[in-house]
Amino acid sequence: MEFRPLRSFVEVVRQGGFSQAAKAVFTSQSAVSKAVKQLEAEVGVPLLDRMGHRSVLTPAGEVVYRRGVKLLADRADLLAELDEIRGLRRGVLRLGLLPACSSALFTPLLAIYRQRFPEIEVRLVERDSAQLEDDLRTGDIDMAGTLLPISSEFDCEPFSREPLVAVLPSGHPLATQATIRLADLRDTPFIVLESGLALHRIVLDASRRAGFVPAIAARSSQIDFTMELVAAGLGVAFLPRMIAAQRHDGAVCQVALAEPDLEWSMAVAWRRGAYLSDAASAWLDLVRERRGKA
């Protein structure tokens, strides 16, 4: 079985269509369609049930997709290991990060990594938690900086734990309190990070445990824009303490939350049993080193 048709088929499923898959594999839509037909001819059964603009996996397609994801990841491991046996001097670190809350933690590490290993190319992608897990499964990235908990199919190195704080407009009645409970904010609209981001889930789950479902005033994936929305009086946001402390704005204030379990736990994760290149191993060593100094 050739890997190029298999990769095209996997991307059609992952991306939800042929045109999106073509962008992911940097080719034309017709080339992706031809590759999928080639794969179907090779296995001898249809893999996709095409219904207008939609395509649904057949039972055979589900098997090929599940196995194909692992085959592609194993191939990436094989090529990386062979590259190191050949003694390549220039390595590549493929690192996935969350689009929000990652910069404060990982920018200093990336600076140190670059200083120590100037010949290693760092390829960064920003995805939400679910997409990062998909990228790890397929071998598209070596490691991901993501929030805990994470699926047991991955190994991880816990890196940072920070309590969440409430970010309130300075004129809010609770803005002068030393600490507040989440339930105290049941009548204040929430400004949340987009639903695909793990921090969104942490806040909403904690609200349900506190006995209410908050009204959502706005959603954003950008920390600075979220702070501006709070300053404009739209509602309350929740951020890790170290992230909120870096934003100085007299129009907002940060108040500690009384819930001790409401925290932001970041880890570096990789596919369990995956081969780690020298570049990836060096990144993991740095994470462990800096965690020990935190």
Side-chain angles (χ1 to χ4, degrees), residues 105-184:
L105 277 180
F106 291 109
T107 297
L109 263 70
L110 287 167
I112 296 171
Y113 187 84
R114 178 66 177 172
Q115 183 179 21
R116 292 183 182 179
F117 312 105
E119 294 190 353
I120 292 179
E121 177 188 354
V122 180
R123 297 178 185 171
L124 293 175
V125 297
E126 289 186 316
R127 303 275 196 273
D128 66 36
S129 297
Q131 290 171 324
L132 287 178
E133 291 190 11
D134 280 344
D135 288 344
L136 286 173
R137 289 186 187 98
T138 57
D140 288 346
I141 57 176
D142 303 308
M143 291 186 165
T146 189
L147 290 180
L148 296 175
I150 192 169
S151 169
S152 60
E153 65 192 287
F154 304 107
D155 285 323
C156 69
E157 181 71 24
F159 179 55
S160 178
R161 295 176 63 181
E162 280 286 316
L164 295 184
V165 297
V167 183
L168 290 160
S170 56
H172 192 280
L174 299 175
T176 59
Q177 300 295 312
T179 61
I180 54 177
R181 298 174 305 155
L182 200 58
D184 296 333

Side-chain angles (χ1 to χ4, degrees), residues 103-104 223-224 227 239 242-249 252 254:
S103 60
I223 300 299
D224 289 340
M227 296 287 281
L239 294 174
M242 67 174 291
I243 306 295
Q246 293 179 344
R247 271 74 177 177
H248 302 287
D249 187 337
V252 303
Q254 299 144 31

Side-chain angles (χ1 to χ4, degrees), residues 195-233:
S195 58
L197 303 177
L199 192 54
H200 172 105
R201 185 182 66 246
I202 291 171
V203 171
L204 294 191
D205 287 349
S207 300
R208 293 187 185 97
R209 291 196 299 271
F212 71 101
V213 176
I216 306 299
R219 305 172 188 266
S220 173
S221 62
Q222 302 299 321
I223 300 299
D224 289 340
F225 185 45
T226 297
M227 296 287 281
E228 291 174 6
L229 292 173
V230 174

